Amino acid sequence: MRTAAWEEDPSPAPPSPDDAPVMDVHASREWEPVVDQLKRLNKNVEALSTAWKRSQQGTSMPQSAMGGMMSAYLENAIDYADKRPKVEVTIVVQDVTSVDLATGLFEASFKVILDWQEREFLEGIHYCQDVRSDQFVLSNWLKEDKNAFNPMIVINNMVDLLKGTEEDAENPIEPIIHRLVSNNASVDSVWLTKEYEFTGTLKASTDGRLYPFDIHRLPIEIKSVPMPGLTTLGGERTIELVDPRLRRMEAFEKSTKKKKHAVFRAERFTQVPDIFFAHHWEMRIEASEISQKSEDEDEELPLKLNVGELEVLAFGGCDNKSDEYLLVMVLARNWKARLFDFCIQILLTLVSLFSIYVPFNADTVANRLSISLAIILTIVFFATEKPAVIADLSYSTSHDSFEQNMILASTLISIENVFGWVWCYGTNREGLPDYYMHTVMFLGADICTETFLRASRLDTIFFFFILIYMLGQFELMILKAQTKRLRFLAKTLEELNSYYSEEAGGDHDNPVQRNSTALSFMSEYGHKQVNRLLLVLGSGKKAHFESSCSQIDVAKCLGSHGHSLVSWFPRFWLEMAKLNSDDDEDHHRPCSCCRKRRKAGTATEDGGDSANALNSSAPSAEWLERFVGTRPVLSKDEIGYIVDVGTGEIGFYQYRWGHPAGSEFDKHAHGKPPMLFVESCAKLAMDTNSTFKDSYCLTNDGSQKFAEELLKHYNLLDTSPSFGTSAIGGKDARPNTSHGSRRKKVKILIGPTGANRAAAMKSAEVGAVLEKFVERVEATLRGHLPAADVLLFIPSDSDEATFELAATEWLVQRGDLNVKGITSGVNGVPFAGMELSQALSRAASKAGSTGSCSLSHFMREFEDLIEGTIDTKFMEDIFKVAVLASSLGDDLAEISPLSDAMRSSPTLMRSLIKARLFNGTLSAGGGSCQVTVKPDHSQRASGKGKSSDELHAAVMRNSEFHSIPMGNKTPLTGNGLAEGKPLFPKSEPMTQELLTEWRKRLREQIASMDFPPKLQGNLRGVYIGISAVYYAADLAGCSQTLLPKKAFIQKLEEKLQELLENPPDPKEGKDGTKTYDHRAFSNLTLVSEVVNSFMADTAWIVCKRNWKAAPVQDLPAQDLPKYVATWTLGFFLNQAV
């Protein structure tokens, strides 16, 4: 953390061994981070030594040349902190076996191929051509570089790895160069690849409730391992896994039968037909299993699409713009293999139904029930002896439900047998012949008569009822399973292909994938990404995979796997699947990538208009955590490029630590700490009637214009020898990629504030637009400045105020604050008079005196002022001046001359202000006012003994931030007022009545807010006015000067009266209408009321925006760095570590 313009040498003199203290446990823990750092440094040294030895093998290159190569490699080292290549994932399925429904475990063998492009590699430094093998190889320097990009993956759902690639983080698999990739005859990138093979047990979420009509997704979940270290924004260095495109393009090249070259001409194979798949299925039937051998020996073996009873219906991959990639295999059971079970149960129930042919006599019930009971027991046996596949399931399946229905049917038959015998034959047969049948009055006289089935009419009716019930249950089970399977498969297709791009004009009929790979592919080659799900069409030897996004093909796929009716009337069954709304979401959940997409709020669950839902929804918690309130970390050695995207203007700031070139100071700068320089501090005004989003983010050329502004204000092209022109899109604007002209990576941080920040934090749409805009700006810059990263971060309002406080506190001591000729305060008390008097009196009382003190007590009292340029010798010199004026001896100084000596030193007074008097900042803007208050002195005193950096960090953490939702634009626009209308009409001149009303609104707003007591007119000490507070003071002619509160307010009010008496002339439009500018009136009144409400009468304020560094020996005044007190300065001071 940076808190000083000058850095002292932190290295103390090494202690003698005799004086070394015994290290306790606590001290040893404090040294643990240092030991870890030394270990890592030792590893890097070892890696460097190994690389040196390897590079010397087989070469007679002199040592100086080897040193030159190493220097060239280090100068062109690639920074992967914020931008890393996107890794394409190709999966080759080799075998799938033994799917366990109960546990969800399955065994699989598969190969994972990772491909990525390195666009910043330089030939001769990062890679070269091996003349012996005629192959391109990576340099040994790169292989030994621990910071080089080498993606590693893990299988998230792998339960047990039986065989395969186990990668050690300390010794990862080395990638190899597959080919060079060119576009328009120029080599743009190096195609790197690495390969894994896995065999093991994986976990899936299976559900057997539909057995034997069950359908499952078997996933292979691949996750990338983050690179070591953190990004500039403080996040993990995640590696994005995306759909493969290079492999598909290469397959297209191979099909053209063109000779394969070392350089892949990508521009020739952009429109890849869908017949070239992203992933591959290598399970094939063994030649020994084929009964009829093909006469063509070159003919490929048929695909093996069976996993036991399960049949493969489809498989495909899915990325979700994250560090995970998912391959889904959809398998459905061949239900016809269990058709015999259903037929047996139906036949057994039918046998039980034939008991109606037992004639009526005294033994009818016993004979009929004996048949029904035997059948019931047989079906119950079938029900208890479940197939091995579902034996361990804790829930019922469709198979169980059908058996239960057959048991129910057999039980109903038994009941009907008893009632039929009782009603028709009767229990009392005395005096009746055997052929006599009773008449059941409520069922009709002929219910017991014989029918064409040679059974009673009652038995005949029941026979047909049970027959229809059995067949109906069977057909209903098949139709229900058929629609569920169809809906499951169609839903899988929809989910895997659900990443459409509204920006690219994609819709449901013309899908264009929204993931980053597709967008970059479209912008680079104008290509539409392939459909993600491959369906199995045909059966037997004719089974093959096809890529299609048509739901008709989904129906055809299901029709070729046991559901012929679906293929006959596909549209009818698709509509049936939609009408069957009892969706089995609990049984079959969507794939992980789609669940994350829904969670992120990019799709609506109710099927409504996703665009409207997006507009009205707040950003996701993940998005807010990623961008809002983050504090990017910069290296002290790099230049800080920070863009403040405010409500009405855009600020371009450029900071660096260094020494002024060409000065006497520079000649003697060796060993001296660097100074902070502001290389750029430019403002770009925006149209007051338009927002940043409308002006830049949503316009066709907005990113182009913004990139031009970045290059212009930061001089990124003019200072680089790699560019022939400074205009974007100019004729020789493409950089030379030779290692002699490579620039270091530039990181540009874009921070929206004010209304832009508020809009991004309230609307997911605005946040997404900003994120996409930054990506387009970076893409535009990279076409002309390859080593450029553009990062979005949104400082919170409290962070913005805290950074402003940090910048102001730093400038108070290191800047050119005028502390001479300050007017007296309340009751004629001079500035800091009471504070100095109290402090010197304390020092004197500790020395046992009332009017003088010794050097030791003086040093002890003001030890908090010793920092930076003020050291012990400086304080001793101040004391010596007071001693000479006191004539009390060489060891004592009187309080009065000591106070005068301290006041005569601007450096010491600035340090006194910073350490004891400076209490916070006051700032204002178009929509709000802010006051930031440092912690109480008691809290600051608790940090005694800590370093200045630690104290500064504690001050930032504990500072209070308060805001008023009214700014100097509030009466001009009406935003923030209850009526929502402007208070100051543009067509009328300013009046005292309008100012009085504006004062009234401000006072009412401040009174309505629950401010702590210290903000109710009790702020004391010194406050710095910045932003619009400075502009008000500058207009009143009282900026750059320390003033007591009443004197400051008096200056503002005098200027207001002057403007009322002599108002500015209105501007006359083309139509003759006059427009008055009331911004000065609004701002002066606002600042006056805020200062009067918050500050005590004894408080002091100085309004200063532009600062210069304090004078330095050997450095001319014109070479002194200049600063502006903005939050960007405070950000750089704290984050450039």
Side-chain angles (χ1 to χ4, degrees):
M1 186 176 296
R2 238 3 240 190
T3 58
W6 306 98
E7 289 186 342
E8 302 295 337
D9 184 6
S11 306
S16 64
D18 297 336
D19 297 333
V22 179
M23 185 176 294
D24 57 10
V25 176
H26 179 69
S28 64
R29 290 178 180 174
E30 291 181 349
W31 280 96
E32 286 179 0
V34 179
V35 175
D36 292 339
Q37 290 285 353
L38 291 174
K39 288 181 179 179
R40 283 194 287 271
L41 179 61
N42 185 44
K43 289 181 180 179
N44 290 336
V45 173
E46 290 178 357
L48 184 61
S49 175
T50 304
W52 182 274
K53 293 177 181 178
R54 290 182 59 176
S55 62
Q56 285 186 323
Q57 294 176 358
T59 180
S60 58
M61 187 177 295
Q63 187 172 355
S64 60
M66 296 300 295
M69 287 181 59
M70 179 181 177
S71 299
Y73 177 78
L74 294 177
E75 288 176 2
N76 293 276
I78 301 173
D79 182 11
Y80 295 105
D82 298 297
K83 304 294 179 181
R84 292 160 293 283
K86 294 169 184 174
V87 179
E88 301 176 14
V89 181
T90 303
I91 301 176
V92 180
V93 179
Q94 298 171 319
D95 195 17
V96 180
T97 57
S98 63
V99 180
D100 191 335
L101 279 184
T103 60
L105 301 179
F106 67 97
E107 293 183 4
S109 298
F110 54 95
K111 186 189 301 182
V112 180
I113 303 172
L114 304 183
D115 299 295
W116 68 96
Q117 297 184 67
E118 290 284 2
R119 301 183 182 276
E120 297 186 44
F121 272 16
L122 300 178
E123 187 172 356
I125 294 180
H126 299 99
Y127 71 99
C128 63
Q129 190 170 23
D130 189 344
V131 294
R132 293 170 295 179
S133 62
D134 201 28
Q135 299 291 325
F136 288 97
V137 295
L138 295 174
S139 70
N140 291 326
W141 303 102
L142 185 68
K143 292 179 180 179
E144 299 295 340
D145 188 355
K146 298 297 183 183
N147 295 318
F149 183 76
N150 186 5
M152 296 191 297
I153 60 170
V154 294
I155 310 301
N156 254 3
N157 61 326
M158 178 74 75
V159 176
D160 184 19
L161 179 63
L162 303 177
K163 176 184 176 183
T165 309
E166 292 192 51
E167 195 167 18
D168 184 8
E170 296 296 329
N171 188 25
I173 301 171
E174 291 184 355
I176 61 173
I177 296 179
H178 185 70
R179 299 176 73 177
L180 302 184
V181 180
S182 71
N183 187 26
N184 297 325
S186 63
V187 176
D188 288 338
S189 61
V190 179
W191 179 351
L192 296 178
T193 186
K194 62 189 299 187
E195 188 175 303
Y196 299 80
E197 288 193 10
F198 298 98
T199 299
T201 304
L202 291 87
K203 178 72 174 178
S205 179
T206 56
D207 195 302
R209 287 181 173 85
L210 289 178
Y211 177 88
F213 305 96
D214 49 322
I215 183 169
H216 310 282
R217 292 190 184 107
L218 302 185
I220 298 176
E221 299 174 3
I222 300 173
K223 180 178 176 62
S224 62
V225 179
M227 289 184 67
L230 299 176
T231 65
T232 302
L233 298 179
E236 284 189 329
R237 296 185 181 182
T238 56
I239 299 173
E240 185 176 347
L241 304 180
V242 297
D243 285 323
R245 61 180 180 89
L246 289 172
R247 293 282 174 178
R248 295 185 60 245
M249 295 169 68
E250 188 178 51
F252 186 23
E253 176 199 39
K254 184 178 179 181
S255 68
T256 60
K257 298 183 179 179
K258 291 185 178 181
K259 184 179 179 181
K260 181 178 179 180
H261 297 281
V263 179
F264 177 53
R265 302 295 298 275
E267 75 279 1
R268 297 180 179 179
F269 306 100
T270 57
Q271 302 297 329
V272 184
D274 286 348
I275 60 173
F276 300 103
F277 304 145
H279 307 287
H280 305 284
W281 189 273
E282 286 193 352
M283 289 178 59
R284 295 191 177 273
I285 300 174
E286 298 289 340
S288 58
E289 300 177 9
I290 302 176
S291 57
Q292 296 182 354
K293 301 291 181 68
S294 174
E295 297 179 358
D296 186 2
E297 295 181 357
D298 295 333
E299 184 180 351
E300 290 186 343
L301 295 172
L303 295 173
K304 182 180 179 182
L305 299 170
N306 294 325
V307 182
E309 291 183 350
L310 297 173
E311 297 178 336
V312 178
L313 300 185
F315 87 113
C318 167
D319 70 60
N320 59 331
K321 200 178 181 182
S322 70
D323 58 347
E324 295 182 3
Y325 193 89
L326 179 74
L327 182 85
V328 174
M329 297 172 285
V330 182
L331 281 72
R333 193 171 304 279
N334 180 12
W335 68 274
K336 292 184 177 180
R338 293 293 170 181
L339 180 60
F340 182 74
D341 292 351
F342 296 121
C343 293
I344 286 295
Q345 294 168 38
I346 291 174
L347 289 175
L348 287 173
T349 307
L350 193 60
V351 169
S352 176
L353 188 57
F354 285 149
S355 63
I356 62 174
Y357 289 105
V358 175
F360 287 115
N361 55 42
D363 299 325
T364 298
V365 173
N367 294 333
R368 288 190 175 190
L369 290 183
S370 62
I371 298 173
S372 298
L373 183 59
I375 297 302
I376 290 173
L377 293 176
T378 304
I379 298 177
V380 169
F381 174 78
F382 271 101
T384 54
E385 291 294 325
K386 294 184 178 181
V389 177
I390 60 173
D392 296 329
L393 296 183
S394 59
Y395 47 81
S396 297
T397 65
S398 296
H399 189 276
D400 299 329
S401 298
F402 188 79
E403 288 176 334
Q404 294 165 6
N405 283 322
M406 293 304 100
I407 294 174
L408 175 62
S410 299
T411 304
L412 291 176
I413 292 172
S414 301
I415 295 173
E416 190 276 337
N417 285 334
V418 173
F419 278 94
W421 181 80
V422 170
W423 287 340
C424 293
Y425 192 76
T427 56
N428 184 9
R429 299 290 298 178
E430 291 184 6
L432 297 175
D434 291 338
Y435 59 85
Y436 178 77
M437 296 294 159
H438 290 286
T439 299
V440 183
M441 300 304 296
F442 64 91
L443 292 178
D446 56 350
I447 193 65
C448 296
T449 59
E450 187 177 300
T451 64
F452 67 97
L453 288 183
R454 303 299 181 182
S456 67
R457 186 175 298 278
L458 180 61
D459 290 334
T460 302
I461 294 172
F462 194 75
F463 178 88
F464 284 107
F465 169 75
I466 292 297
L467 189 61
I468 293 172
Y469 176 78
M470 289 190 302
L471 297 179
Q473 285 294 326
F474 181 69
E475 286 297 327
L476 182 63
M477 177 181 63
I478 292 178
L479 294 179
K480 187 176 180 180
Q482 185 170 271
T483 55
K484 284 193 174 184
R485 280 188 170 189
L486 182 59
R487 185 169 61 254
F488 183 92
L489 192 57
K491 190 173 182 180
T492 302
L493 173 69
E494 180 185 355
E495 287 173 347
L496 291 184
N497 292 331
S498 60
Y499 293 88
Y500 302 113
S501 173
E502 296 178 3
E503 294 85 354
D507 51 37
H508 195 277
D509 297 326
N510 184 24
V512 179
Q513 297 208 355
R514 191 183 59 184
N515 63 68
S516 56
T517 304
L519 290 179
S520 62
F521 204 13
M522 288 164 52
S523 61
E524 190 173 356
Y525 301 114
H527 177 73
K528 185 182 76 174
Q529 182 72 10
V530 69
N531 180 53
R532 285 175 162 175
L533 192 66
L534 304 178
L535 302 173
V536 178
L537 298 180
S539 58
K541 294 183 180 180
K542 295 183 179 180
H544 62 283
F545 286 102
E546 280 193 11
S547 176
S548 174
C549 59
S550 169
Q551 291 190 345
I552 299 298
D553 286 335
V554 173
K556 292 180 180 179
C557 170
L558 201 60
S560 61
H561 290 82
H563 298 281
S564 303
L565 287 176
V566 177
S567 59
W568 291 349
F569 310 104
R571 296 188 183 279
F572 170 77
W573 291 110
L574 286 169
E575 291 298 323
M576 286 292 296
K578 293 178 182 178
L579 291 174
N580 191 2
S581 59
D582 57 335
D583 199 359
D584 50 343
E585 285 292 336
D586 295 333
H587 298 171
H588 303 290
R589 290 169 291 180
C591 61
S592 61
C593 65
C594 303
R595 288 200 300 270
K596 291 179 181 178
R597 177 174 175 266
R598 291 180 179 181
K599 183 178 179 180
T602 57
T604 53
E605 295 291 342
D606 58 355
D609 185 1
S610 60
N612 293 336
L614 188 63
N615 291 341
S616 61
S617 62
S620 65
E622 181 183 0
W623 190 92
L624 292 173
E625 183 179 358
R626 181 182 172 192
F627 292 109
V628 179
T630 56
R631 294 188 174 184
V633 178
L634 303 174
S635 171
K636 193 193 304 181
D637 299 330
E638 67 179 311
I639 300 176
Y641 300 92
I642 307 171
V643 183
D644 177 13
V645 183
T647 305
E649 59 185 10
I650 304 172
F652 300 88
Y653 300 94
Q654 180 179 345
Y655 303 99
R656 71 171 177 89
W657 290 99
H659 299 108
S663 64
E664 290 295 323
F665 178 85
D666 186 44
K667 295 177 182 178
H668 306 90
H670 181 70
K672 293 185 177 181
M675 300 181 71
L676 176 62
F677 284 84
V678 182
E679 302 291 342
S680 175
C681 180
K683 292 280 189 177
L684 176 65
M686 290 193 300
D687 184 3
T688 56
N689 298 322
S690 179
T691 63
F692 177 78
K693 183 186 75 169
D694 297 330
S695 300
Y696 288 95
C697 299
L698 298 181
T699 57
N700 294 330
D701 60 344
S703 58
Q704 182 90 359
K705 291 193 300 183
F706 195 80
E708 289 178 355
E709 295 293 341
L710 291 175
L711 294 172
K712 179 179 72 174
H713 291 293
Y714 292 145
N715 296 319
L716 294 175
L717 290 183
D718 296 339
T719 59
S720 172
S722 304
F723 298 89
T725 178
S726 62
I728 292 186
K731 200 170 178 178
D732 298 318
R734 188 171 183 81
N736 181 1
T737 56
S738 64
H739 64 268
S741 60
R742 169 75 66 89
R743 287 176 58 94
K744 289 186 177 180
K745 178 163 283 191
V746 174
K747 292 181 182 179
I748 301 175
L749 304 177
I750 298 180
T753 57
N756 298 314
R757 171 178 55 216
M761 294 178 64
K762 290 180 181 178
S763 170
E765 181 200 19
V766 176
V769 166
L770 281 174
E771 187 178 356
K772 292 295 182 184
F773 170 75
V774 170
E775 292 177 0
R776 292 198 302 272
V777 171
E778 180 183 80
T780 305
L781 283 179
R782 286 203 167 203
H784 311 276
L785 192 67
D789 288 344
V790 183
L791 306 175
L792 173 67
F793 82 107
I794 304 176
S796 64
D797 51 359
S798 58
D799 277 349
E800 182 182 352
T802 305
F803 286 136
E804 287 177 346
L805 175 66
T808 307
E809 184 181 39
W810 185 85
L811 289 170
V812 165
Q813 183 169 356
R814 280 82 176 178
D816 60 340
L817 178 64
N818 182 16
V819 292
K820 292 184 177 181
I822 304 175
T823 60
S824 298
V826 179
N827 300 322
V829 177
F831 173 71
M834 182 62 69
E835 287 78 7
L836 279 176
S837 175
Q838 292 288 338
L840 292 172
S841 297
R842 283 195 301 271
S845 63
K846 291 178 182 177
S849 174
T850 58
S852 63
C853 70
S854 64
L855 175 62
S856 60
H857 291 92
F858 172 73
M859 296 290 291
R860 193 174 300 117
E861 176 64 30
F862 293 103
E863 62 182 351
D864 57 327
L865 305 188
I866 300 176
E867 181 186 358
T869 56
I870 299 180
D871 54 10
T872 303
K873 186 178 182 305
F874 185 97
M875 298 295 290
E876 290 175 351
D877 292 341
I878 293 291
F879 189 81
K880 288 178 181 179
V881 172
V883 168
L884 294 176
S886 301
S887 66
L888 293 178
D890 296 337
D891 299 332
L892 295 175
E894 294 179 358
I895 291 178
S896 179
L898 192 54
S899 175
D900 294 338
M902 294 182 69
R903 287 180 178 280
S904 65
S905 172
T907 302
L908 190 59
M909 289 300 293
R910 282 191 286 266
S911 181
L912 178 69
I913 293 173
K914 184 253 181 183
R916 300 192 179 184
L917 303 179
F918 174 60
N919 256 0
T921 59
L922 292 172
S923 61
S928 63
C929 300
Q930 295 83 29
V931 54
T932 308
V933 185
K934 292 175 62 176
D936 295 334
H937 285 282
S938 59
Q939 291 179 315
R940 294 182 231 171
S942 63
K944 188 175 181 180
K946 296 182 179 179
S947 67
S948 60
D949 285 352
E950 292 174 331
L951 290 173
H952 183 71
V955 168
M956 288 193 62
R957 286 194 304 270
N958 300 322
S959 297
E960 298 180 29
F961 167 75
H962 304 278
S963 179
I964 303 173
M966 282 188 174
N968 50 32
K969 287 187 178 180
T970 301
L972 308 179
T973 63
N975 295 332
L977 298 178
E979 62 271 21
K981 296 187 298 183
L983 189 63
F984 295 167
K986 295 181 179 180
S987 58
E988 299 177 8
M990 181 55 61
T991 63
Q992 187 67 51
E993 290 74 15
L994 291 175
L995 288 179
T996 303
E997 181 63 23
W998 175 222
R999 290 182 191 273
K1000 177 184 175 184
R1001 299 292 183 92
L1002 286 169
R1003 292 171 182 174
E1004 289 176 350
Q1005 179 64 46
I1006 294 173
S1008 66
M1009 302 183 71
D1010 187 19
F1011 286 124
K1014 68 165 60 176
L1015 263 74
Q1016 297 175 13
N1018 293 315
L1019 291 181
R1020 291 171 173 81
V1022 176
Y1023 283 81
I1024 309 293
I1026 57 177
S1027 59
V1029 178
Y1030 161 77
Y1031 290 119
D1034 189 55
L1035 183 62
C1038 59
S1039 62
Q1040 315 289 336
T1041 306
L1042 265 167
L1043 290 173
K1045 167 192 168 182
K1046 287 187 176 180
F1048 178 75
I1049 294 177
Q1050 182 180 351
K1051 291 283 187 181
L1052 298 182
E1053 296 297 332
E1054 288 176 355
K1055 187 61 180 179
L1056 266 176
Q1057 286 302 122
E1058 179 186 337
L1059 290 176
L1060 279 174
E1061 295 172 1
N1062 301 291
D1065 295 331
K1067 294 181 180 180
E1068 188 169 347
K1070 295 181 180 180
D1071 56 353
T1073 58
K1074 293 182 178 181
T1075 303
Y1076 291 87
D1077 187 359
H1078 299 317
R1079 285 179 296 178
F1081 294 98
S1082 172
N1083 197 42
L1084 287 167
T1085 307
L1086 173 73
V1087 174
S1088 176
E1089 289 300 321
V1090 169
V1091 171
N1092 189 51
S1093 298
F1094 288 158
M1095 297 177 63
D1097 291 340
T1098 56
W1100 294 74
I1101 183 170
V1102 57
C1103 298
K1104 190 173 178 64
R1105 184 175 186 271
N1106 300 311
W1107 300 69
K1108 259 189 178 182
V1112 179
Q1113 185 179 3
D1114 298 330
L1115 185 62
Q1118 64 270 18
D1119 292 337
L1120 289 171
K1122 298 178 181 179
Y1123 310 111
V1124 177
T1126 63
W1127 71 265
T1128 59
L1129 175 61
F1131 169 84
F1132 185 78
L1133 288 169
N1134 285 273
Q1135 300 307 114
V1137 296

